[in-house]
Amino acid sequence: MSLVDNSKPLNFSFDGKSFKGFEGDTLASALLRNNVRLVGRSFKYHRPRGIIGAGSEEPNALAEIHQDGVIEPNRRATMIKLFDGLAVKSQNGSPSLNFDILAINDLVSPFLSAGFYYKTFMWPRVFWEKVYEPAIRRAAGLGRLSTNPDPDSYDKGFLHCDTLIIGAGAAGLQAALIAGRAGARVILADEDFQMGGRLLSDPQLIDGICGQGWAEQTIAELHTLPNVRLLPRTTVYGQYDHGIYGALETRTDKIGAPGARQVLWRIYSQNAILAAGAIERPIAFANNDRPGIMLASAMRTYENRFGIDFGDYPVLTNNNSTKRNHAASRIDTRDAQWVSDTRGRKGLNSVSLNSGQNIETDWLGVSGGWNPNLHLTCHKRSRPKWDETKACFVPDINTLPENMQVIGAANGEFSTYEAFASAKSACASLGHKSGKPPKAEDTPLSINAFWHVKGKKRAWVDFQNDVTSKDITLAHQEGFSSVEHVKRYTTLGMATDQGRTSNVVGLAILADARGQSIPETGTTIFRPPYAPVPIGAFAGPHKGQHFKQTRLTPSHKYAAEQGAAFVETGYWKRAQWFARNGEQGWRDSVDREVITTRSSVGICDVSTLGKIDVQGRDAGAFLNKVYVNSFKLLKPGKCRYGLMLREDGIAMDDGTSARFSDTHYVMTTTTANAGLVYRHLEFARQCLFPDMDVHLISTTEQWAQYSVAGPNARKLLQKIVDQEYDISNEAFPYMACGKVTVCGGTRARLFRLSFSGELAYEIAVPTRYGDALIRAILEAGEEFGACMYGTEALGVMRIEKGHAAGNELNGTTTALHLGLGGFVSKKKDCIGKVLSQREGLVAEDGLRLVGFIAVDSKDQITNGAHFINIGDPKDAAHDQGYMSSVAYSPELGHYVGLGFIKGGDKRKGEEVMAVDFVRDNHINVRIVSPHFVDPDGDRLRV
Amino acid sequence: MIINHPLFGPRDAAEFVYLGDASLMNRPDPKAEDAIQQFYEYMYLRDNPAGEHRELWFHEQGDRSWLIVTRNTFTHEITKVELARQS
Amino acid sequence: MRYNALQILKQGLTGHKGWKPAWRKAEPKFDYDIIIVGGGGHGLATAYYLAEKFEQKRIAVLEKGWIGGGNVGRNTTIIRSNYMLHENEGFYEFSLRLWEKQEKDLNYNTMVSQRGVLNLAHTDPQRDAYARRGNAMILNGADAKLLDVEGVRKLCPFLNFDNARFPIRGGLWQKRGGTVRHDAVAWGYARAADMRGVDIIENCEVTGFAIQSGICTGVQTTRGQIKAKKIGVAVAGSSSKVLTMAGMRLPMESHVLQAFVSEGLKPTLQGVITYGAGHFYVSQSDKGGLVFGGDIDGYNSYAQRGNLPVVEDVCEGGVSLMPMIGKARLLRMWGGNVDMSMDGSPIIDKTHIDGLYFNGGWCYGGFKATPASGYCFAELIATDSPNDTAKNFRMDRFSRGLMIDEKGQGCQPNLH
C-alpha cells in the first residue's frame, strides 16, 4: 500500500519545469511519478544519469535546491522530503541537463583513463595553472555554492541515554520495543522521515499483519513510552570516543524557514545497537549506468511505498534469491545468463544478454547482493570481515567498538525473522528479557557472487566518479594494487556516497585482477560521517558576532557614551581611543589623550588585567617560585613588578603583585595571559609544590580597575578616596598599596603603580560599582580637564617608557633579551631559571631590546622592519633583528620604536637600516636607550 | 572523550585543558650540578608511547584541579583518573 | 617508461595495454648501502635525491604498509614558504623552488598549483607580526605582500567583512603558495626513484636496529635482516615508536590532526585562505571539494582519528569567516598521526649512533617540506654534513637553547 497521501498534492519544479507530487513523496519518487528518468550528469564523462537508489546512498540523482538566490548543492533527490514550492535544478550539465557540451569527454574517454592526469598536462610547464587546470576545475565539481551567506539557523543539542538504537527497520523497531518496555532510556534514530526501513518497501506478513502495519503499530506503541525518544530524519553520522555519537536531525528542507533547519545532536550513550540495515549493490556490466537502471530494492521501494508504476515490462537481473520484484523477465546469473550491454542514450530502451537476446524495456532492476551498513563499527578503526556465503563484509564481533552490538541486516542477518531474533538477543545481553519474536519470513539469503561482466565496453563501478572496471584493472596493471592505492589512483569510493554502492564491487574486481580472494586483497574502512553533514550544522549558532563570546568591562557603556572605538583583545572589547568632534582621525584622538595624561590626568580602564588572589602561609614563598625576583620579603602595603618565566626559561608574563598582609598577595597579569598564568600557577601549586600552604583564586571579573595617571592624579583621587585615608606622597608613596573606601564608604583597593611613567594609581572597586566609579572619577576630574584614554594611548606611553609588552614578550625572549636580566634573583631558584642559562639563550651577541629613532626625524619607523647593518646586503644572512613596537610620541614630536637587535645593549648610538619591504619603507635608524621619556623615573615619585 | 573526574564523575573532555606526560610533575633538583641537562631531559624528552600514557589534564571549566589521567593513546580508553596533588 | 604526449596517444588507442607499473615490487636484498625507513613522501623523496643528486647506489626504502599511506596521503595539500624565522624560511623557500620544477624533475604531473596562500590578520599586532614575517620571507628570496582590508576584499569578496566577531584588518599574501595533488607526490618520487634503481619494498616493517658499539649496521624487519652502511629514519608520527627500538627518547609527541573535505562543488575558491582569529584554513581541490582543517585535537594519540570538539571548532571558524560555506556538506573527516616537536620545527640530523640518521618533527606541516626534506636528508646521509638551509634543524638545539619557535609557545607540542 502506498504511503503517500494522494489527497495532499504538492507543487514543485525541476529545472524550471513545474510538476506535481504528494505529501509523503521524496523528490526522487515525485520525479519518477512524473516519468522523469534523466536527472543528472556524471562527474567526469558527463554521462546522462537517472535515479539508482532510494536512500542516502544515491550516487546519481544529485540536485540543487534553490531559494531566493541561495543554493544548496548536491542534495540527493532520494533524501529530499517533497514540500510545496520546492524549486530544484539539476547539476553538472552545461548548458543544460539535456544537452551537455562536456559529454564530449565521454567520446574521448579512451584518453581519460584512470590516472591520466599524472602523465600529462606537463608541456609546457606554465600551461598547467593557466590553461589545463582552470579547464579541469570548471569541468569538475558537482553543484554550485552561491556566494551568499547561508540564511538558515542550526541548533545544537546534547542527549543522554542507556541505549542508542540506530536504524528503525524491523530489527531497530523490535529492539526499541523490547528495551523501551523494559524501562531503559532509549533513543531510536532513523535517517528516513518515515520509520520502518525495508518493512515499508517489501510486502510481507508479520504476526499475520502486513509489514507496514506492524511498523505503524510498533511506532505507535513506542510513542506512548516516555522513556523512548524517536528521532526520525536523524542520521547518526559518527561514532566517537567513550560512547559519544554524532547525529544530525533535519527539521525541514526548506531554505530560510523559521526555526532551526537542522539540529546537531551529540548523544552520550551507555550502549548502542546498530540496526542500520543493508544497501543493495549493482553489477558491473557494459553501460550499466543508463537512466532507467535501478537497484531492485529501490524499485520495490518506489512501487510499494510510493506507488510508482514501472509499467508492464520491467526486467530484473540478480545473483541472489531476490524474488519480490515485479518483473516481466528475470535474468538470474545463477542460471548462467546475464546482462551484457544496454542501449538508450538518455534513458534505457533495451538490454542485451550474454545469450545474444535483446529485451526492450525502460526499466532494469539490478540486484548484485547486499552490503551491510556497518560503517559505524569502523569509525574507531575496527575492520569488518568477509563472509563468503553471504558475499559481503560483516562486522567482526572480536573488534567491535566497546558497548556496541550490531543486529539485523547490518550484521548480515537478512531475513525479517533473523532481524527480530537478533534484536531479542542483543536486548537480552543488556538485561532486557523478551518473549518469542514475531512470526515473519525466514528464508536466508542465497547468493552466488557475481560481480562484473568482462568485455571491451565500459562497465561502471563508481557511478558518480565515473570509475569503470577497466580503470581498476589498469590501476592494478600500473602497480597500484593495494586497495588504498586503487582508491586514490582511480577515485573509486571517494564520491559523495563514499563508495556505499561501489567499494565492494571494486574490491571484487581488484581481487579478480590480482588472482586473490577478497579477504586476501583487503577490506574497506569507513570514516565519518556516514552521510555528509552541512558545515553550517557543525558550526551551529557559533558564527558571525557569536563566533566566540564577548567580554565587556564594567565601564563599557560609559566608554561607548564617550565615543570609544573598541578593539578586540582576546574575547574582551577594550576602548582603543575616544574620538571627539573635530578630530581628523585616530591619531588626533590618541595624541590628545597622551598629552592630557602627561600634562594633567587621564583615566584608563584596566579591568581586563588578570587578577589572582594568592593566600596562605606560604604565599610569599610560592611567589618566589613563580617570579624571577623576590616577593617573600616584600612588606605588606607594598607592590612590586614581577617577571614570570616558563620552565624553558622564556619570559611568560609580567605584572605586579601587591602584598596586603603576611598571608595575602594580589597578583595582576596581562590581559592576554590571564587564563594561561592562572593555569600555570595552579600547576605549580598542585603538581610541583603540593606541600606549600597556598591557595589561588582568579578575581579578574570581581574587580573593576582604573588607572588614574598624570601630574594631577593625586589631586583627583583625593576627591574620590574617602578623607580618612591619607594618600599623600609621604603616606602613600610610589609602589604603595592599601585597602581604602571611596565615594563615602564603598570598599576599594588602591595601588600606586604606573605603566605610563606618570604619577599614577590604579583603583579597584567591586565590579558592580565600576560604572558609578568611572563616572565619579571623570566628574571629579573635570576641573583638571581629565579625559579617558584607550589602549592606543596606553601603548604610546608604554613605548615612550620602554616597557616591554606582548610584542616583546612574544614567547621567544628571555629576561636577558628584554633587558631585565638584572631582575633575576641570584639567591633563589624559580621556574625557568635553570633553562634560561642555556648557552644559546645567554649568548653575548644575542638579541637585546633597545630603542630606535629615525636618523631623519621626518622618516616614519615601521613595525616589523628588520635591521641590516648599513652597507650590508639585504638578505637573511645579514639580518640583525626586528622592530617590535612603534609609536608616534607627541611629547617628543617624532616616532619612537622598540626592537630587538643583536648585541643591542652595547650598540647604543650606532646607525642601522630598518628594512621594510612589505611597506616599501627602508630608513636609517639610530640605536638608543628604550627609555625615551623621563628615563630616571622622577615623575613616578612626586 | 569523557573523563571520569574523581570528585565530579564523568565530564566531557572539552571542560579540560591538556598539558602532557605526567612526568612533568617530577621537576629536577635545580641545585644539581648537571641541572641544565636534567631540566632539558625533563622538559623536552618524551617517552611518547603508543599505549598506556599517564598524562596531565586541567579542569579549567570546573574545579581547576590538575588530574592524572591514564589513557591509552592508541584506543583512547581511559583506565584511571587521579587528583595530581594526591598522587 | 617516460610519460609524454605520444605515449598517451598510443596507449589510448591500444587499450592502455602497454602501461608498466609505476614502481617495481622489489624484494629485499641482503644488504644495501643506504636504507631509508619509511615509504612516505619524505622517505621516497630522500631516496630519489640520494640517487639523482648525490650519486648514491644500492638504496632501499622500507615501508611497513603501502607507500604514501601516512601523512603524504592524508594532508590538506598546501605548499607555501611563509615562515617568520630564518632557520625555517630559507628551508621552506628551497622547498617551494623544488616544487616549482617538480613535474619536470620527476616526469610526473603532481599538479603543483600556485594559486596563492592568504593569511588573514584581525588585530594590529597580528598585522605587524605579518609585516615582520613578510620581510623575513623577502629576505630569504620568497615573495610576500602585505594587504590592507581592501586588498583582501579584492581577492576574496565572499569573506565576512560586515558582521564578524573579529573583523578582517588585512592579510599576508604569498602568490607562489598553493596546493599539490598529495598522493601523486609519493607516487612521483617512488616512480622516479625506482627508475634510478632504488628498491621500494612495501609490507616490510622494521622491528629492530642492529647496533653494535654505537654503530648501526642494519635493521631487523618482518621480511628478515637487512644490512646497510647508513640508515635514515623518516617515519613522522611513528618516530618515537621506531627510535625507541634504538634506545632513543625524542623531543616529540605524537598527536592527531584532523582534516576534512566537503562534497564536490563548482570552483569558488582560488587559493588557500587561513583564518587569523580561529582555527580554520581552506582550499578547493581540482575535483571541487573544499579541503579544510584547523587545530590538532591536543592530546597524545596514535589513533589516527579525532573527536567532535575540534570538528565543531573548525566549522565554526569556517562559517564565521565564510558564511557561504554553511550549505556545503562535510563529506569525510580523518585523522593523521603527526610528529609534534618541542618547538614546532623539524629535525634533520645525525643521531648519537653512527650510521643512524633522523628526519622528523614536522608537526602538521610536513607535506610542503617534502622535496627539501628529501633533498636535505639525502645530502646529510650522503655527505655527513647538513644542507645549508637545514643546518639549524639539529637534535641538540633544545639542550643548547637554540629553539626555532615560530609561535613562541615553548616546549608544549600541542600548542605549536
Side-chain angles (χ1 to χ4, degrees), chain C residues 84-96:
Chain C
M84 184 170 75
L85 303 176
H86 296 312
E87 293 92 327
N88 278 325
E89 179 60 16
F91 170 83
Y92 284 103
E93 176 58 18
F94 176 46
S95 202
L96 191 52

PDB file of all heavy atoms in Angstrom, chain C residues 84-96:
ATOM      1  N   MET C  84      58.367  32.861   9.578  1.00  0.00           N
ATOM      2  CA  MET C  84      58.879  34.106  10.127  1.00  0.00           C
ATOM      3  C   MET C  84      60.369  34.003  10.471  1.00  0.00           C
ATOM      4  O   MET C  84      61.098  34.969  10.367  1.00  0.00           O
ATOM      5  CB  MET C  84      58.089  34.453  11.390  1.00  0.00           C
ATOM      6  CG  MET C  84      58.445  35.761  12.023  1.00  0.00           C
ATOM      7  SD  MET C  84      57.258  36.185  13.301  1.00  0.00           S
ATOM      8  CE  MET C  84      57.752  35.056  14.596  1.00  0.00           C
ATOM      9  N   LEU C  85      60.800  32.816  10.900  1.00  0.00           N
ATOM     10  CA  LEU C  85      62.171  32.668  11.366  1.00  0.00           C
ATOM     11  C   LEU C  85      63.060  32.169  10.227  1.00  0.00           C
ATOM     12  O   LEU C  85      62.694  31.253   9.499  1.00  0.00           O
ATOM     13  CB  LEU C  85      62.215  31.698  12.551  1.00  0.00           C
ATOM     14  CG  LEU C  85      61.319  32.103  13.731  1.00  0.00           C
ATOM     15  CD1 LEU C  85      61.362  31.034  14.827  1.00  0.00           C
ATOM     16  CD2 LEU C  85      61.738  33.453  14.297  1.00  0.00           C
ATOM     17  N   HIS C  86      64.217  32.795  10.121  1.00  0.00           N
ATOM     18  CA  HIS C  86      65.113  32.447   9.010  1.00  0.00           C
ATOM     19  C   HIS C  86      65.485  30.971   9.014  1.00  0.00           C
ATOM     20  O   HIS C  86      65.664  30.372   7.967  1.00  0.00           O
ATOM     21  CB  HIS C  86      66.386  33.287   9.093  1.00  0.00           C
ATOM     22  CG  HIS C  86      66.128  34.746   8.925  1.00  0.00           C
ATOM     23  ND1 HIS C  86      65.346  35.254   7.914  1.00  0.00           N
ATOM     24  CD2 HIS C  86      66.534  35.815   9.639  1.00  0.00           C
ATOM     25  CE1 HIS C  86      65.289  36.566   8.016  1.00  0.00           C
ATOM     26  NE2 HIS C  86      65.990  36.935   9.059  1.00  0.00           N
ATOM     27  N   GLU C  87      65.624  30.405  10.222  1.00  0.00           N
ATOM     28  CA  GLU C  87      66.012  28.993  10.305  1.00  0.00           C
ATOM     29  C   GLU C  87      65.006  28.121   9.552  1.00  0.00           C
ATOM     30  O   GLU C  87      65.353  27.073   9.027  1.00  0.00           O
ATOM     31  CB  GLU C  87      66.049  28.546  11.773  1.00  0.00           C
ATOM     32  CG  GLU C  87      67.141  29.201  12.600  1.00  0.00           C
ATOM     33  CD  GLU C  87      66.661  30.469  13.291  1.00  0.00           C
ATOM     34  OE1 GLU C  87      65.807  31.187  12.721  1.00  0.00           O
ATOM     35  OE2 GLU C  87      67.159  30.756  14.394  1.00  0.00           O
ATOM     36  N   ASN C  88      63.751  28.557   9.512  1.00  0.00           N
ATOM     37  CA  ASN C  88      62.730  27.825   8.768  1.00  0.00           C
ATOM     38  C   ASN C  88      62.573  28.350   7.340  1.00  0.00           C
ATOM     39  O   ASN C  88      62.463  27.582   6.392  1.00  0.00           O
ATOM     40  CB  ASN C  88      61.364  27.956   9.463  1.00  0.00           C
ATOM     41  CG  ASN C  88      61.207  26.977  10.615  1.00  0.00           C
ATOM     42  OD1 ASN C  88      61.705  25.851  10.546  1.00  0.00           O
ATOM     43  ND2 ASN C  88      60.539  27.394  11.659  1.00  0.00           N
ATOM     44  N   GLU C  89      62.517  29.666   7.224  1.00  0.00           N
ATOM     45  CA  GLU C  89      62.094  30.256   5.955  1.00  0.00           C
ATOM     46  C   GLU C  89      63.015  29.883   4.799  1.00  0.00           C
ATOM     47  O   GLU C  89      62.564  29.574   3.698  1.00  0.00           O
ATOM     48  CB  GLU C  89      61.980  31.783   6.096  1.00  0.00           C
ATOM     49  CG  GLU C  89      61.573  32.518   4.822  1.00  0.00           C
ATOM     50  CD  GLU C  89      60.211  32.104   4.276  1.00  0.00           C
ATOM     51  OE1 GLU C  89      59.428  31.473   5.008  1.00  0.00           O
ATOM     52  OE2 GLU C  89      59.940  32.407   3.099  1.00  0.00           O
ATOM     53  N   GLY C  90      64.333  29.870   5.051  1.00  0.00           N
ATOM     54  CA  GLY C  90      65.259  29.529   3.975  1.00  0.00           C
ATOM     55  C   GLY C  90      64.987  28.120   3.463  1.00  0.00           C
ATOM     56  O   GLY C  90      64.986  27.862   2.252  1.00  0.00           O
ATOM     57  N   PHE C  91      64.702  27.235   4.391  1.00  0.00           N
ATOM     58  CA  PHE C  91      64.443  25.838   4.043  1.00  0.00           C
ATOM     59  C   PHE C  91      63.135  25.715   3.242  1.00  0.00           C
ATOM     60  O   PHE C  91      63.081  25.047   2.211  1.00  0.00           O
ATOM     61  CB  PHE C  91      64.377  25.017   5.332  1.00  0.00           C
ATOM     62  CG  PHE C  91      63.896  23.618   5.145  1.00  0.00           C
ATOM     63  CD1 PHE C  91      64.768  22.611   4.743  1.00  0.00           C
ATOM     64  CD2 PHE C  91      62.563  23.298   5.351  1.00  0.00           C
ATOM     65  CE1 PHE C  91      64.319  21.322   4.561  1.00  0.00           C
ATOM     66  CE2 PHE C  91      62.102  22.002   5.172  1.00  0.00           C
ATOM     67  CZ  PHE C  91      62.988  21.006   4.770  1.00  0.00           C
ATOM     68  N   TYR C  92      62.084  26.359   3.722  1.00  0.00           N
ATOM     69  CA  TYR C  92      60.789  26.199   3.048  1.00  0.00           C
ATOM     70  C   TYR C  92      60.776  26.886   1.684  1.00  0.00           C
ATOM     71  O   TYR C  92      60.078  26.450   0.764  1.00  0.00           O
ATOM     72  CB  TYR C  92      59.653  26.684   3.956  1.00  0.00           C
ATOM     73  CG  TYR C  92      59.367  25.682   5.048  1.00  0.00           C
ATOM     74  CD1 TYR C  92      59.807  25.880   6.341  1.00  0.00           C
ATOM     75  CD2 TYR C  92      58.693  24.500   4.758  1.00  0.00           C
ATOM     76  CE1 TYR C  92      59.586  24.943   7.333  1.00  0.00           C
ATOM     77  CE2 TYR C  92      58.468  23.545   5.744  1.00  0.00           C
ATOM     78  CZ  TYR C  92      58.910  23.772   7.026  1.00  0.00           C
ATOM     79  OH  TYR C  92      58.689  22.824   7.996  1.00  0.00           O
ATOM     80  N   GLU C  93      61.567  27.961   1.554  1.00  0.00           N
ATOM     81  CA  GLU C  93      61.661  28.587   0.241  1.00  0.00           C
ATOM     82  C   GLU C  93      62.416  27.660  -0.722  1.00  0.00           C
ATOM     83  O   GLU C  93      62.043  27.518  -1.885  1.00  0.00           O
ATOM     84  CB  GLU C  93      62.346  29.953   0.362  1.00  0.00           C
ATOM     85  CG  GLU C  93      62.600  30.661  -0.959  1.00  0.00           C
ATOM     86  CD  GLU C  93      61.357  30.909  -1.801  1.00  0.00           C
ATOM     87  OE1 GLU C  93      60.229  30.846  -1.263  1.00  0.00           O
ATOM     88  OE2 GLU C  93      61.503  31.142  -3.023  1.00  0.00           O
ATOM     89  N   PHE C  94      63.443  26.991  -0.208  1.00  0.00           N
ATOM     90  CA  PHE C  94      64.136  25.991  -1.022  1.00  0.00           C
ATOM     91  C   PHE C  94      63.139  24.924  -1.467  1.00  0.00           C
ATOM     92  O   PHE C  94      63.105  24.502  -2.628  1.00  0.00           O
ATOM     93  CB  PHE C  94      65.271  25.388  -0.186  1.00  0.00           C
ATOM     94  CG  PHE C  94      66.013  24.265  -0.852  1.00  0.00           C
ATOM     95  CD1 PHE C  94      66.440  24.367  -2.177  1.00  0.00           C
ATOM     96  CD2 PHE C  94      66.303  23.098  -0.148  1.00  0.00           C
ATOM     97  CE1 PHE C  94      67.136  23.323  -2.784  1.00  0.00           C
ATOM     98  CE2 PHE C  94      66.991  22.059  -0.749  1.00  0.00           C
ATOM     99  CZ  PHE C  94      67.402  22.165  -2.068  1.00  0.00           C
ATOM    100  N   SER C  95      62.283  24.528  -0.541  1.00  0.00           N
ATOM    101  CA  SER C  95      61.287  23.507  -0.865  1.00  0.00           C
ATOM    102  C   SER C  95      60.329  23.996  -1.954  1.00  0.00           C
ATOM    103  O   SER C  95      60.024  23.280  -2.909  1.00  0.00           O
ATOM    104  CB  SER C  95      60.511  23.123   0.399  1.00  0.00           C
ATOM    105  OG  SER C  95      59.939  21.855   0.264  1.00  0.00           O
ATOM    106  N   LEU C  96      59.880  25.229  -1.795  1.00  0.00           N
ATOM    107  CA  LEU C  96      58.929  25.762  -2.774  1.00  0.00           C
ATOM    108  C   LEU C  96      59.563  25.804  -4.165  1.00  0.00           C
ATOM    109  O   LEU C  96      58.905  25.534  -5.171  1.00  0.00           O
ATOM    110  CB  LEU C  96      58.459  27.156  -2.339  1.00  0.00           C
ATOM    111  CG  LEU C  96      57.283  27.757  -3.091  1.00  0.00           C
ATOM    112  CD1 LEU C  96      56.098  26.809  -3.149  1.00  0.00           C
ATOM    113  CD2 LEU C  96      56.848  29.080  -2.450  1.00  0.00           C
TER     114      LEU C  96
END
